[in-house]
Amino acid sequence: MKLLIDKELNSTDKILKPDFNSRTGRELLVFYLQTKFRQILSFDRKCENPVFIDVNSDFISRFSKRLINNPHKRLLVGITGESASGKSTICKEIKKIIEQFHMPVSVLSTDNYFNDISALIKKFGSFDNLRDNGYDVDAPTSFQLDTLTEDLKLLSEGTDVMIPMYLPNGTGVSVPHAQKISSQKIIVVEGIATMYEQVKDIFDVKIYVESDNSIRKDRFITRACEERNQSIENALKHWDYIAQAGEKYVKPFRSEADLVLNGNADLDYFSEILEYIHAITNNFQ
């Protein structure tokens, strides 16, 4: 992929920058991007550990029409996947590249839209007791989906928003209007709630991150024990819950995804793909 980047940057055979305000200019840009994206897919298929597992057959044509017909609307990218699939890691890598190239992108997590369950945790004594008594943490009803939908609509129209912040300290507290998210040209939204029925159709690009269950389990147990100080017994109990919840609430949306990404892909290689995308969208004569 580095060879493709260098070739793109050093090429003297470049197209004139199209006038994106004209439909003809946008059509030229879209044709150019289609060619380059197919080049990326062709290169990726030959890799031992590819990034792209699956691409929806109508994604390229549908996304092209969106760019041509509605160029001023912010681009919303939703990234979902079962717990410990690698979606947060991929988003961190995206954010790193964003900062490196000063790209106009905002990133937010739907985990901040969990309901405030602090009263329930106090009633049952702990989050674990609440879960063991049947509280379905990952169910759509456990999220502030109305607020999430409204915030995403405002962001897509160019309006900055103040989103809630769910405190990951076991208290179940959700602080309203706690974090400012700017409406940049591209808005990346990560979390299991991105593809829930009420929210999913707002996204222009739907991405599903997939990993083997054995790898997900190892990641989850390690994270629970080392980062969240859970006992191995409780970590395994919570894994049983999230594995079932993932099958029920998250995995059904895989078939609707525009892109299915490999959560086990090499992050350096993934970064190179992002660098190449940046190069081809900014390297005009």
Side-chain angles (χ1 to χ4, degrees), residues 75 77-79 91 94 98 105-109 186-190:
L75 187 68
V77 180
I79 303 179
C91 276
I94 292 173
I98 288 167
V105 182
S106 299
V107 180
L108 67 94
S109 171
I186 301 173
I187 299 156
V188 178
V189 185
E190 173 266 326

Side-chain angles (χ1 to χ4, degrees), residues 26-273:
R26 294 195 298 274
E27 288 174 344
L28 176 60
L29 172 66
V30 165
F31 177 76
Y32 170 74
L33 293 178
Q34 285 177 348
T35 302
K36 294 298 183 180
F37 184 62
R38 289 190 175 97
Q39 185 181 35
I40 292 172
L41 293 178
S42 177
F43 181 92
D44 186 66
R45 278 194 290 268
K46 300 172 185 176
C47 292
E48 183 178 345
N49 191 21
V51 166
F52 296 94
I53 296 175
D54 199 5
V55 179
N56 194 302
S57 60
D58 70 345
F59 166 63
I60 294 178
S61 61
R62 181 164 37 80
F63 184 60
S64 297
K65 290 177 182 177
R66 155 67 175 83
L67 292 179
I68 293 170
N69 296 327
N70 199 357
H72 301 297
K73 179 177 175 288
R74 301 302 199 259
L75 187 68
L76 264 63
V77 180
I79 303 179
T80 195
E82 295 179 85
S83 186
S85 62
K87 58 186 181 298
S88 296
T89 302
I90 283 177
C91 276
K92 287 177 183 176
E93 200 66 20
I94 292 173
K95 187 176 182 181
K96 185 183 80 173
I97 297 299
I98 288 167
E99 293 171 350
Q100 179 180 339
F101 291 103
H102 308 290
M103 297 165 67
V105 182
S106 299
V107 180
L108 67 94
S109 171
T110 62
D111 285 359
N112 281 307
Y113 290 84
F114 275 117
N115 292 336
D116 187 310
I117 54 173
S118 55
L120 286 172
I121 287 178
K122 287 180 181 178
K123 177 181 178 180
F124 287 91
S126 70
F127 174 84
D128 296 332
N129 289 342
L130 177 60
R131 176 203 63 208
D132 293 345
N133 277 274
Y135 184 77
D136 200 348
V137 185
D138 290 348
T141 52
S142 296
F143 288 85
Q144 303 171 54
L145 295 184
D146 288 342
T147 302
L148 174 58
T149 303
E150 183 61 29
D151 285 350
L152 292 179
K153 286 180 179 178
L154 289 171
L155 287 169
S156 73
E157 294 164 357
T159 303
D160 297 345
V161 297
M162 295 295 294
I163 72 168
M165 180 180 292
Y166 184 82
L167 304 183
N169 57 5
T171 61
V173 171
S174 175
V175 183
H177 311 296
Q179 182 180 353
K180 183 177 180 179
I181 299 294
S182 300
S183 178
Q184 300 290 352
K185 289 183 179 179
I186 301 173
I187 299 156
V188 178
V189 185
E190 173 266 326
I192 61 173
T194 56
M195 293 302 138
Y196 284 167
E197 196 66 35
Q198 184 176 335
V199 183
K200 62 185 178 68
D201 289 336
I202 199 170
F203 291 103
D204 301 293
V205 182
K206 303 172 185 177
I207 296 175
Y208 187 93
V209 181
E210 188 170 74
S211 292
D212 293 338
N213 280 351
S214 58
I215 295 174
R216 289 177 52 232
K217 183 176 181 179
D218 288 343
R219 285 177 182 164
F220 182 85
I221 299 301
T222 300
R223 186 170 62 192
C225 295
E226 295 183 1
E227 298 179 18
R228 299 174 182 174
N229 297 316
Q230 292 185 21
S231 67
I232 185 67
E233 180 183 4
N234 188 60
L236 287 169
K237 184 183 292 186
H238 197 54
W239 165 257
D240 288 340
Y241 163 76
I242 64 114
Q244 294 175 34
E247 286 284 340
K248 183 177 181 181
Y249 298 123
V250 184
K251 203 169 182 177
F253 294 104
R254 185 194 188 281
S255 61
E256 298 183 41
D258 297 313
L259 305 170
V260 179
L261 302 187
N262 179 8
N264 306 323
D266 179 81
L267 286 180
D268 290 337
Y269 169 50
F270 180 70
S271 294
E272 289 173 1
I273 291 178

